[in-house]
Amino acid sequence: MSDDIRVALVNQAFVPPGMVIGETGAHLPSLGLLMLASAIEEADAGMKGSVAYFDEEHLGIDGCKQAVIDWLGPAKTGLVMLTTYTMTHHRQEMFIRAMQAHGFLCLAGGPHVTMHPNESSADAVVLGEGVSAMRSLFPWPGFLPRGVPGMRYKEVDRLGNESWTGAERPLRQLLPSMWPSPSFAYHLVPSGIVHRASRKRDLGGRAPMSIVLSKGCPSACHFCTSGAQNGPWAVGHVERFQMDLEHLLKHTKAEAIEFHDDDLFSHPDVEKVFDVMKNTGLPWTCYTRANPLQGDSGRRLARLAREAGCKRVFLGLESMNNDRLEMLGKKANACMNREAVLNLHHADVEVSAAWIIGLPEDTPAILEEELTTFLGLPLYCLDVNILNINPGSVFSKKVITGRMQPSCGSEIESAEDLLPDPERYGDQEPWGQPTLCAHMSKVELNTFAEHARRRINRELLPMNNKLRQHKGVPFDDFRSALLEEISERR
Ligand code: SF4
């Protein structure tokens, strides 16, 4: 260990405007930062002991700043790294400025700076994946070298004018086979951190730990940024997953596993992944799409997943209306969505689902009808999200090029016009962003979303009670009686 340089990886709490630290959905380690840590230790074994991981929710806002200052203080160069998200970019900016005041060098990465690299206060930003940058930066040469892959640098001239130079495009080609070993430095996660799953993934309060073995998604939905952020879908070998899982189990007190792959069930060796999970005896949850859950093979996968400890699957169904699904760029229709839910349900795997409202042609009547269709499915829970224009998504490109119009009529000329701006676009969901619905204003969409969430809470409770009582019974055998009972309560 040398004190020429120390690295502080800061997992900032995800606290969107209007929310409070500690009260947001989930609290999990940053796999992205843990991969960077592993890449640094692999590139320069002498860095072991000079890389530390800080968790803002665990330490508190001021406590986290102070812990980083105390850690980096004795080193000749203190390097702070953190991840930026559009909804919480203002918080990353505040943290970076506080660290720069102490003379530390700040590097930012993540989805926000990848799309808006010149918006950051950091000294340099990494566009796309950061492992290649770490492999180039370490062993540390004593200064921040130019020409690091994916890195963009803030230059300040003698008059204080700022400009940016360096990488123009994000790096997205790092295949899972090129990740460091172990993929994630779980050994750096301090033991006292209390992680928690979001409601849709919570397994009876068990301490969750996340893992991922692929990058990207086989689909390219029009509202999603997975492709822009991760590039083409690529999966890791089961051997790597097994090694990473062993590392996770050795260094954390995980009581449940959360897979963060966009579509775990499409992994070509998913049955081997299930075998590995079965041997751990731990319950787990994952994301997948409706596509791999069709027909006999879908039924088989659902059953094998359940036997391997899968308790709940999150399906981004997004709609039960074929026109709306097509508009969203989903590669599944309403029948496929229903079949995927039923196959999981029949295998005794709970289903969390998501629904997007606020498409250009949505009306209250269309949405109410679709909500009724959703609530006729055996779901554990259903998230309601108002369509937002994520940077890098197909929808954002259409809005920027004038092929889609925001409902507020605002002139959109560049990606910067879509940066969160509550004064321009209002502070309701999606915070500081325009909506695209021609027939419902942002206020009306929020009112509908509140109504829908109330209805979901009211109707999914009896649904879940009945599902528990009828374990193993085909849903269609008791569906009519159940829906009649629910409609009487409406
Ligand atoms: S299936 Fe999910 S992760 Fe994949 S592109 Fe669509 S929304 Fe994104």
Side-chain angles (χ1 to χ4, degrees), residues 346-366:
H346 290 159
D348 195 20
V349 176
E350 293 173 336
V351 181
S352 294
W355 179 35
I356 291 182
I357 66 170
L359 273 63
E361 296 307 322
D362 282 353
T363 62
I366 289 173

Side-chain angles (χ1 to χ4, degrees), residues 315-328:
L315 282 176
L317 302 180
E318 314 305 358
S319 177
M320 289 301 290
N321 168 313
N322 286 341
D323 291 339
R324 296 182 81 251
L325 285 164
E326 196 179 331
M327 175 81 198
L328 290 166

Side-chain angles (χ1 to χ4, degrees), residues 217-221 223-227 262 289 316 318 330:
C217 179
S219 280
C221 303
F223 56 91
C224 182
T225 55
S226 181
D262 286 342
R289 299 173 306 143
E318 314 305 358
K330 297 296 289 184

Side-chain angles (χ1 to χ4, degrees), residues 57-171:
E57 184 167 321
H58 174 61
L59 295 165
I61 296 172
D62 293 334
C64 185
K65 281 185 196 148
Q66 195 55 51
V68 173
I69 292 165
D70 292 346
W71 163 249
L72 295 180
K76 212 155 125 193
T77 302
L79 193 54
V80 178
M81 297 188 197
L82 44 74
T83 309
T84 61
Y85 301 95
T86 297
M87 277 299 139
T88 55
H89 190 231
H90 58 292
R91 298 194 74 245
Q92 282 109 44
E93 289 294 283
M94 283 192 283
F95 197 91
I96 286 169
R97 287 198 205 100
M99 294 300 107
Q100 286 170 330
H102 289 266
F104 304 138
L105 202 53
C106 293
L107 301 186
H112 186 79
V113 296
T114 293
M115 290 302 147
H116 300 284
N118 300 358
E119 294 288 316
S120 182
S121 298
D123 299 286
V125 298
V126 177
L127 313 188
E129 58 88 6
V131 169
S132 304
M134 295 306 111
R135 286 176 173 155
S136 171
L137 270 184
F138 292 91
W140 179 249
F143 57 92
L144 185 63
R146 293 302 188 254
V148 169
M151 194 166 277
R152 196 159 170 78
Y153 306 86
K154 181 155 67 189
E155 313 287 359
V156 184
D157 70 16
R158 276 179 301 171
L159 298 173
N161 300 315
E162 291 179 0
S163 60
W164 287 84
T165 59
E168 298 282 348
R169 292 176 185 284
L171 294 183

Side-chain angles (χ1 to χ4, degrees), residues 406-426:
S407 47
C408 58
S410 194
E411 292 268 318
I412 308 290
E413 288 171 356
S414 70
E416 277 61 45
D417 283 319
L418 294 176
L419 286 171
D421 183 346
E423 283 182 18
R424 183 173 179 180
Y425 299 121

